[in-house]
Coordinates of all heavy atoms in Angstrom, one line a residue:
R18 N 12.2 31.6 32.3 CA 10.8 31.4 31.8 C 9.9 31.2 33.0 O 10.3 30.7 34.1 CB 10.7 30.3 30.8 CG 10.7 28.9 31.4 CD 10.6 27.9 30.3 NE 10.3 26.7 31.0 CZ 10.6 25.5 30.7 NH1 11.2 25.3 29.5 NH2 10.3 24.4 31.4
D19 N 8.7 31.6 32.9 CA 7.7 31.5 34.0 C 7.3 30.0 34.2 O 7.0 29.3 33.2 CB 6.5 32.4 33.6 CG 6.8 33.8 33.7 OD1 7.7 34.2 34.4 OD2 6.1 34.6 33.0
Q20 N 7.2 29.6 35.5 CA 6.8 28.3 35.8 C 5.3 28.4 36.3 O 5.0 29.4 37.0 CB 7.6 27.8 37.0 CG 9.1 27.5 36.6 CD 9.2 26.3 35.7 OE1 8.4 25.4 35.8 NE2 10.2 26.2 34.9
P21 N 4.5 27.5 36.0 CA 3.1 27.5 36.6 C 3.2 27.4 38.1 O 4.1 26.7 38.6 CB 2.4 26.3 36.0 CG 3.5 25.5 35.3 CD 4.7 26.3 35.2
R22 N 2.3 28.1 38.8 CA 2.3 28.1 40.2 C 2.0 26.6 40.7 O 1.1 26.0 40.3 CB 1.2 29.0 40.7 CG 1.2 29.1 42.3 CD 0.2 30.1 42.7 NE -1.2 29.6 42.8 CZ -1.7 28.9 43.7 NH1 -0.9 28.6 44.8 NH2 -2.9 28.5 43.7
S23 N 2.9 26.2 41.7 CA 2.7 24.9 42.3 C 1.5 25.0 43.3 O 1.4 26.0 44.1 CB 4.0 24.5 43.0 OG 3.8 23.4 43.8
R24 N 0.7 24.0 43.3 CA -0.4 24.0 44.3 C 0.0 23.2 45.5 O 0.5 22.2 45.4 CB -1.7 23.3 43.6 CG -2.2 24.1 42.5 CD -3.5 23.5 42.0 NE -3.9 24.2 40.8 CZ -5.2 24.6 40.6 NH1 -6.1 24.2 41.5 NH2 -5.5 25.2 39.6
G25 N -0.4 23.8 46.6 CA -0.1 23.1 47.9 C -1.2 22.1 48.2 O -2.2 22.0 47.6
L26 N -1.0 21.4 49.3 CA -1.9 20.4 49.7 C -3.3 21.0 50.1 O -4.3 20.4 49.8 CB -1.4 19.6 50.9 CG -0.4 18.5 50.5 CD1 0.1 17.8 51.8 CD2 -0.9 17.5 49.6
G27 N -3.2 22.2 50.6 CA -4.5 22.9 51.0 C -5.4 23.0 49.8 O -6.6 22.9 49.8
D28 N -4.8 23.4 48.6 CA -5.6 23.6 47.4 C -6.2 22.3 46.9 O -7.3 22.2 46.5 CB -4.7 24.1 46.2 CG -4.2 25.5 46.5 OD1 -4.9 26.3 47.2 OD2 -3.2 25.9 45.9
V29 N -5.5 21.2 47.1 CA -6.0 19.8 46.7 C -7.2 19.5 47.6 O -8.2 19.1 47.1 CB -4.9 18.8 46.9 CG1 -5.5 17.4 46.6 CG2 -3.8 19.1 45.8
Y30 N -7.1 19.7 48.9 CA -8.2 19.3 49.8 C -9.4 20.2 49.6 O -10.5 19.7 49.7 CB -7.7 19.4 51.3 CG -6.7 18.3 51.7 CD1 -5.5 18.6 52.2 CD2 -7.1 17.0 51.5 CE1 -4.6 17.6 52.5 CE2 -6.2 16.0 51.8 CZ -5.0 16.3 52.3 OH -4.1 15.3 52.7
K31 N -9.2 21.4 49.3 CA -10.3 22.3 49.0 C -11.2 21.9 47.8 O -12.4 22.1 47.8 CB -9.9 23.7 48.8 CG -9.4 24.4 50.0 CD -8.8 25.8 49.7 CE -8.1 26.4 50.9 NZ -7.4 27.6 50.6
R32 N -10.6 21.2 46.9 CA -11.3 20.8 45.7 C -12.0 19.4 45.8 O -12.8 19.1 45.0 CB -10.3 20.7 44.5 CG -9.8 22.0 44.0 CD -9.0 21.8 42.7 NE -8.2 20.7 42.6 CZ -6.9 20.7 42.8 NH1 -6.3 21.8 43.1 NH2 -6.2 19.6 42.7
Q33 N -11.7 18.7 46.9 CA -12.3 17.4 47.1 C -13.7 17.6 47.6 O -14.0 18.5 48.4 CB -11.5 16.5 48.1 CG -10.1 16.2 47.5 CD -9.4 15.2 48.5 OE1 -9.9 14.8 49.5 NE2 -8.2 14.9 48.1
P34 N -14.6 16.7 47.1 CA -16.0 16.9 47.6 C -16.2 16.5 49.0 O -15.4 15.7 49.6 CB -16.8 15.9 46.7 CG -15.8 14.9 46.2 CD -14.4 15.6 46.2
L35 N -17.1 17.2 49.7 CA -17.4 16.9 51.1 C -18.6 16.0 51.1 O -19.6 16.2 50.4 CB -17.7 18.2 51.8 CG -16.7 19.3 51.7 CD1 -17.2 20.6 52.3 CD2 -15.4 18.8 52.5
E36 N -18.5 14.9 51.9 CA -19.5 13.8 51.8 C -19.8 13.4 53.3 O -19.1 13.5 54.2 CB -19.0 12.6 51.1 CG -18.7 12.8 49.6 CD -18.2 11.5 49.0 OE1 -17.5 10.8 49.6 OE2 -18.6 11.3 47.9
Y37 N -21.1 12.9 53.4 CA -21.5 12.3 54.6 C -22.2 11.0 54.3 O -22.7 10.9 53.1 CB -22.4 13.2 55.5 CG -23.7 13.5 54.9 CD1 -24.8 12.7 55.2 CD2 -23.9 14.5 54.0 CE1 -26.0 12.9 54.6 CE2 -25.1 14.8 53.4 CZ -26.2 14.0 53.7 OH -27.4 14.2 53.2
M38 N -22.3 10.0 55.2 CA -23.0 8.8 55.0 C -24.4 8.9 55.7 O -24.4 9.2 56.9 CB -22.3 7.6 55.5 CG -22.9 6.3 55.1 SD -22.0 4.8 55.6 CE -22.3 4.8 57.3
C39 N -25.5 8.7 54.9 CA -26.8 8.7 55.5 C -26.9 7.5 56.6 O -26.5 6.4 56.3 CB -27.8 8.5 54.5 SG -29.5 8.4 55.1
P40 N -27.3 7.9 57.8 CA -27.3 6.8 58.9 C -28.5 5.8 58.6 O -28.6 4.8 59.3 CB -27.6 7.7 60.2 CG -28.1 8.9 59.7 CD -27.6 9.2 58.3
Y41 N -29.4 6.1 57.7 CA -30.6 5.2 57.5 C -30.3 4.2 56.3 O -30.6 3.1 56.5 CB -31.8 6.1 57.3 CG -32.1 6.9 58.5 CD1 -31.6 8.2 58.5 CD2 -32.7 6.4 59.6 CE1 -31.8 9.0 59.7 CE2 -32.9 7.1 60.7 CZ -32.4 8.4 60.8 OH -32.6 9.1 61.9
C42 N -29.8 4.7 55.2 CA -29.7 3.8 54.1 C -28.2 3.6 53.7 O -27.9 2.7 52.9 CB -30.4 4.4 52.9 SG -29.7 5.8 52.2
G43 N -27.3 4.3 54.3 CA -25.8 4.1 54.0 C -25.3 4.7 52.8 O -24.1 4.6 52.4
A44 N -26.1 5.5 52.1 CA -25.7 6.2 50.9 C -24.8 7.4 51.2 O -24.9 8.0 52.2 CB -26.9 6.7 50.1
F45 N -23.8 7.6 50.3 CA -22.9 8.8 50.5 C -23.5 10.0 49.7 O -24.0 9.8 48.6 CB -21.5 8.5 50.0 CG -20.7 7.6 50.9 CD1 -20.7 6.3 50.8 CD2 -20.1 8.1 52.0 CE1 -20.0 5.4 51.7 CE2 -19.3 7.4 52.9 CZ -19.3 6.0 52.7
N46 N -23.5 11.1 50.4 CA -24.1 12.3 49.8 C -23.1 13.4 49.9 O -22.4 13.5 50.9 CB -25.4 12.7 50.6 CG -26.5 11.7 50.5 OD1 -27.2 11.7 49.6 ND2 -26.6 10.8 51.5
E47 N -23.0 14.3 48.9 CA -22.2 15.5 49.0 C -23.0 16.5 49.7 O -24.2 16.6 49.7 CB -21.8 16.0 47.6 CG -20.8 15.1 46.9 CD -20.4 15.6 45.6 OE1 -20.6 16.8 45.3 OE2 -19.7 14.9 44.8
F48 N -22.2 17.4 50.4 CA -22.9 18.5 51.1 C -22.2 19.8 50.9 O -21.0 19.9 50.5 CB -23.1 18.2 52.6 CG -21.9 18.1 53.4 CD1 -21.4 19.2 54.1 CD2 -21.2 16.9 53.5 CE1 -20.3 19.1 54.8 CE2 -20.1 16.8 54.2 CZ -19.6 17.9 54.9
S49 N -22.9 20.9 51.2 CA -22.3 22.3 51.0 C -21.2 22.6 52.0 O -21.3 22.2 53.1 CB -23.5 23.2 51.1 OG -23.0 24.5 51.2
E50 N -20.3 23.4 51.5 CA -19.2 23.9 52.4 C -19.9 24.8 53.5 O -19.3 25.1 54.5 CB -18.2 24.7 51.6 CG -17.0 23.8 51.2 CD -15.9 24.7 50.6 OE1 -15.4 25.6 51.3 OE2 -15.5 24.3 49.5
D51 N -21.1 25.3 53.2 CA -21.7 26.2 54.2 C -22.0 25.5 55.5 O -22.0 26.1 56.6 CB -23.0 26.7 53.7 CG -22.9 27.7 52.5 OD1 -21.8 28.3 52.4 OD2 -23.8 27.8 51.7
T52 N -22.1 24.1 55.4 CA -22.3 23.3 56.7 C -21.1 23.5 57.6 O -21.3 23.6 58.8 CB -22.5 21.9 56.3 OG1 -23.6 21.7 55.4 CG2 -22.8 21.0 57.5
I53 N -19.9 23.6 57.0 CA -18.7 23.8 57.8 C -18.5 25.2 58.2 O -18.2 25.6 59.3 CB -17.5 23.2 57.1 CG1 -17.6 21.7 57.0 CG2 -16.2 23.6 57.8 CD1 -16.5 21.1 56.2
R54 N -18.8 26.2 57.3 CA -18.6 27.6 57.5 C -19.5 28.0 58.7 O -19.2 28.9 59.5 CB -19.0 28.4 56.3 CG -17.8 28.5 55.4 CD -18.0 29.6 54.4 NE -17.4 29.2 53.2 CZ -18.1 28.9 52.1 NH1 -19.3 29.1 52.0 NH2 -17.4 28.5 51.0
D55 N -20.8 27.5 58.8 CA -21.7 27.8 59.8 C -21.6 26.8 61.0 O -22.6 26.2 61.3 CB -23.1 27.9 59.3 CG -23.3 28.9 58.2 OD1 -22.6 29.9 58.2 OD2 -24.2 28.8 57.3
M56 N -20.4 26.7 61.5 CA -20.1 25.7 62.5 C -21.1 25.9 63.6 O -21.5 26.9 64.1 CB -18.7 26.0 63.1 CG -18.2 25.0 64.1 SD -17.8 23.4 63.3 CE -16.2 23.8 62.6
Y57 N -21.6 24.8 64.1 CA -22.6 24.6 65.2 C -24.0 25.0 64.8 O -24.9 25.0 65.6 CB -22.2 25.4 66.4 CG -20.8 25.0 66.9 CD1 -19.8 25.9 66.9 CD2 -20.5 23.7 67.4 CE1 -18.5 25.6 67.3 CE2 -19.3 23.4 67.8 CZ -18.3 24.3 67.7 OH -17.0 24.0 68.2
Q58 N -24.3 25.5 63.6 CA -25.6 25.8 63.1 C -26.2 24.6 62.3 O -25.5 24.1 61.4 CB -25.6 27.1 62.3 CG -25.1 28.3 63.0 CD -25.9 28.7 64.1 OE1 -27.1 28.8 64.0 NE2 -25.3 29.0 65.3
E59 N -27.4 24.2 62.7 CA -28.0 23.1 62.0 C -28.3 23.5 60.6 O -28.7 24.5 60.2 CB -29.4 22.8 62.7 CG -30.1 21.7 62.0 CD -31.5 21.4 62.6 OE1 -32.3 22.4 62.6 OE2 -31.7 20.3 63.1
Q60 N -27.9 22.5 59.7 CA -28.2 22.6 58.2 C -29.1 21.5 57.8 O -29.0 20.4 58.4 CB -26.9 22.5 57.4 CG -25.8 23.5 57.8 CD -26.3 25.0 57.4 OE1 -26.8 25.2 56.4 NE2 -26.0 25.9 58.3
V61 N -30.0 21.7 56.9 CA -30.9 20.7 56.5 C -30.5 20.2 55.1 O -30.3 21.0 54.2 CB -32.4 21.2 56.5 CG1 -33.3 20.1 56.0 CG2 -32.8 21.6 57.9
E62 N -30.3 18.9 55.0 CA -30.0 18.2 53.7 C -30.9 17.1 53.5 O -31.5 16.5 54.5 CB -28.5 17.7 53.8 CG -27.5 18.7 54.0 CD -27.1 19.5 52.7 OE1 -27.3 18.9 51.6 OE2 -26.6 20.6 52.9
T63 N -31.2 16.7 52.3 CA -32.0 15.5 52.0 C -31.1 14.5 51.3 O -30.3 14.7 50.4 CB -33.1 15.9 51.0 OG1 -33.9 17.0 51.6 CG2 -34.0 14.8 50.6
C64 N -31.2 13.3 51.9 CA -30.5 12.1 51.3 C -30.9 11.9 49.9 O -32.1 11.8 49.6 CB -30.7 10.9 52.2 SG -29.8 9.4 51.5
G65 N -30.0 11.8 49.0 CA -30.3 11.5 47.6 C -30.9 10.1 47.3 O -31.5 10.0 46.3
C66 N -30.7 9.2 48.2 CA -31.2 7.9 48.0 C -32.5 7.6 48.7 O -33.5 7.3 48.0 CB -30.1 6.9 48.6 SG -30.5 5.1 48.3
C67 N -32.6 7.7 50.0 CA -33.8 7.4 50.7 C -34.7 8.7 50.9 O -35.9 8.5 51.4 CB -33.5 6.8 52.0 SG -32.8 7.9 53.3
K68 N -34.3 9.8 50.5 CA -35.0 11.1 50.5 C -35.4 11.5 51.9 O -36.3 12.4 52.1 CB -36.3 11.0 49.7 CG -36.1 10.6 48.3 CD -35.2 11.6 47.5 CE -35.0 11.1 46.1 NZ -33.8 11.6 45.5
K69 N -34.8 11.0 53.0 CA -35.1 11.5 54.3 C -34.4 12.8 54.5 O -33.3 13.1 54.1 CB -34.5 10.5 55.4 CG -35.3 9.2 55.5 CD -34.9 8.4 56.7 CE -35.5 7.1 56.8 NZ -36.9 7.2 57.2
N70 N -35.1 13.8 55.2 CA -34.6 15.0 55.6 C -33.7 14.8 56.8 O -34.1 14.3 57.8 CB -35.7 16.0 55.9 CG -36.4 16.5 54.7 OD1 -35.8 16.6 53.6 ND2 -37.7 16.7 54.8
L71 N -32.5 15.3 56.7 CA -31.5 15.1 57.7 C -31.0 16.4 58.2 O -30.9 17.4 57.5 CB -30.3 14.3 57.2 CG -30.6 13.0 56.5 CD1 -29.4 12.4 55.8 CD2 -31.1 12.0 57.6
S72 N -30.7 16.4 59.5 CA -30.1 17.6 60.2 C -28.6 17.3 60.2 O -28.2 16.3 60.8 CB -30.7 17.7 61.6 OG -29.8 18.6 62.4
L73 N -27.8 18.3 59.7 CA -26.3 18.1 59.8 C -25.8 19.3 60.6 O -26.1 20.5 60.3 CB -25.7 18.2 58.4 CG -25.6 16.9 57.5 CD1 -27.0 16.5 57.2 CD2 -24.8 17.2 56.3
T74 N -25.0 19.0 61.6 CA -24.4 20.0 62.4 C -23.0 19.7 62.6 O -22.6 18.6 63.0 CB -25.1 20.1 63.8 OG1 -26.5 20.2 63.7 CG2 -24.5 21.2 64.7
A75 N -22.1 20.7 62.1 CA -20.7 20.5 62.2 C -20.3 20.8 63.6 O -20.7 21.7 64.3 CB -20.0 21.4 61.3
A76 N -19.3 20.0 64.1 CA -18.7 20.2 65.5 C -17.2 20.0 65.5 O -16.7 19.2 64.6 CB -19.4 19.2 66.4
N77 N -16.6 20.5 66.4 CA -15.1 20.3 66.5 C -14.8 18.8 66.8 O -15.5 18.2 67.6 CB -14.5 21.1 67.7 CG -14.5 22.6 67.3 OD1 -14.4 23.0 66.2 ND2 -14.5 23.4 68.3
G78 N -13.8 18.3 66.1 CA -13.5 16.9 66.4 C -12.1 16.8 67.0 O -11.5 17.8 67.3
V79 N -11.5 15.7 67.1 CA -10.2 15.4 67.6 C -9.1 15.9 66.6 O -9.3 15.7 65.4 CB -10.0 13.9 68.0 CG1 -8.7 13.6 68.5 CG2 -11.1 13.5 69.0
E80 N -8.1 16.5 67.1 CA -6.9 16.9 66.3 C -7.3 17.8 65.2 O -6.8 17.7 64.1 CB -6.1 15.7 65.8 CG -5.5 14.8 66.9 CD -4.8 13.6 66.5 OE1 -4.7 13.4 65.2 OE2 -4.4 12.8 67.3
G81 N -8.2 18.8 65.4 CA -8.6 19.7 64.4 C -9.5 19.2 63.3 O -9.8 20.0 62.4
R82 N -10.0 18.0 63.4 CA -10.9 17.5 62.4 C -12.3 18.0 62.7 O -12.6 18.5 63.8 CB -10.9 16.0 62.5 CG -9.6 15.4 62.0 CD -9.6 13.9 62.1 NE -8.3 13.4 61.6 CZ -7.9 12.1 61.8 NH1 -8.8 11.3 62.3 NH2 -6.8 11.7 61.4
I83 N -13.2 17.8 61.7 CA -14.5 18.2 61.9 C -15.5 17.0 61.9 O -15.3 16.2 61.1 CB -15.0 19.2 60.8 CG1 -14.1 20.5 60.9 CG2 -16.5 19.5 60.9 CD1 -14.3 21.4 59.7
N84 N -16.3 16.9 62.9 CA -17.3 15.9 63.0 C -18.6 16.4 62.5 O -18.9 17.6 62.8 CB -17.4 15.3 64.4 CG -16.2 14.6 64.9 OD1 -15.5 14.0 64.1 ND2 -16.0 14.6 66.2
L85 N -19.4 15.6 61.9 CA -20.8 15.9 61.5 C -21.7 15.1 62.4 O -21.6 13.9 62.5 CB -21.1 15.6 60.0 CG -20.5 16.6 59.0 CD1 -20.9 16.1 57.6 CD2 -21.1 18.0 59.3
V86 N -22.6 15.8 63.0 CA -23.7 15.1 63.8 C -24.9 15.1 62.9 O -25.4 16.2 62.5 CB -24.0 15.9 65.1 CG1 -25.1 15.2 65.9 CG2 -22.7 16.1 65.9
I87 N -25.4 13.9 62.5 CA -26.4 13.7 61.6 C -27.6 13.0 62.2 O -27.5 12.0 62.9 CB -26.0 12.8 60.4 CG1 -24.7 13.5 59.7 CG2 -27.1 12.7 59.3 CD1 -24.1 12.6 58.7
S88 N -28.8 13.6 62.1 CA -30.0 13.0 62.6 C -31.2 13.3 61.7 O -31.2 14.2 60.9 CB -30.3 13.5 64.0 OG -30.4 14.9 64.0
E89 N -32.3 12.5 61.8 CA -33.4 12.7 60.9 C -34.3 13.8 61.5 O -34.4 13.9 62.7 CB -34.3 11.4 60.8 CG -35.4 11.5 59.9 CD -36.3 10.2 59.8 OE1 -36.0 9.3 60.6 OE2 -37.1 10.2 58.9
L90 N -34.9 14.6 60.7 CA -35.8 15.7 61.1 C -37.2 15.1 61.3 O -37.6 14.2 60.7 CB -35.8 16.8 60.1 CG -34.5 17.6 60.0 CD1 -34.6 18.7 59.0 CD2 -34.2 18.3 61.3

C-alpha cells in the first residue's frame, strides 16, 4: 500500500514564519521571504506595533545563518 511522503526537516523549516524584533518597541513582526531571496538588497517593512518604517537587509551570518540588519528609515 502507498505510504504518505515523509517530510524532511527542510520542509518543516520552510513552513515556519520568519520574524524579526523591532529595535524600537521590541514587538515581533513577520516578514516576507523576499527579504532573504534578495540578499543584500534593502527591504522596507513597517512595524505592526509602533508603525515605524524599518529597513531590513539580509546578510551572511556565522555557520550559514542569516543575519538581518534592521534600522529606522
Side-chain angles (χ1 to χ4, degrees):
R18 79 179 194 210
D19 290 333
Q20 295 285 334
R22 185 176 79 81
S23 173
R24 293 184 184 224
L26 282 178
D28 291 335
V29 172
Y30 289 123
K31 287 176 191 173
R32 290 193 316 261
Q33 292 184 4
L35 303 171
E36 296 179 322
Y37 68 92
M38 186 175 75
C39 176
Y41 299 96
C42 69
F45 284 94
N46 297 276
E47 289 187 11
F48 66 94
S49 166
E50 267 187 55
D51 293 336
T52 304
I53 292 175
R54 275 194 217 115
D55 297 333
M56 187 75 76
Y57 306 114
Q58 298 297 314
E59 178 184 61
Q60 303 293 318
V61 177
E62 299 280 334
T63 301
C64 175
C66 181
C67 68
K68 306 299 183 208
K69 288 193 183 281
N70 287 325
L71 303 170
S72 163
L73 277 64
T74 305
N77 289 334
V79 177
E80 297 178 2
R82 294 182 181 166
I83 296 173
N84 290 334
L85 282 179
V86 179
I87 303 170
S88 57
E89 184 179 10
L90 293 177

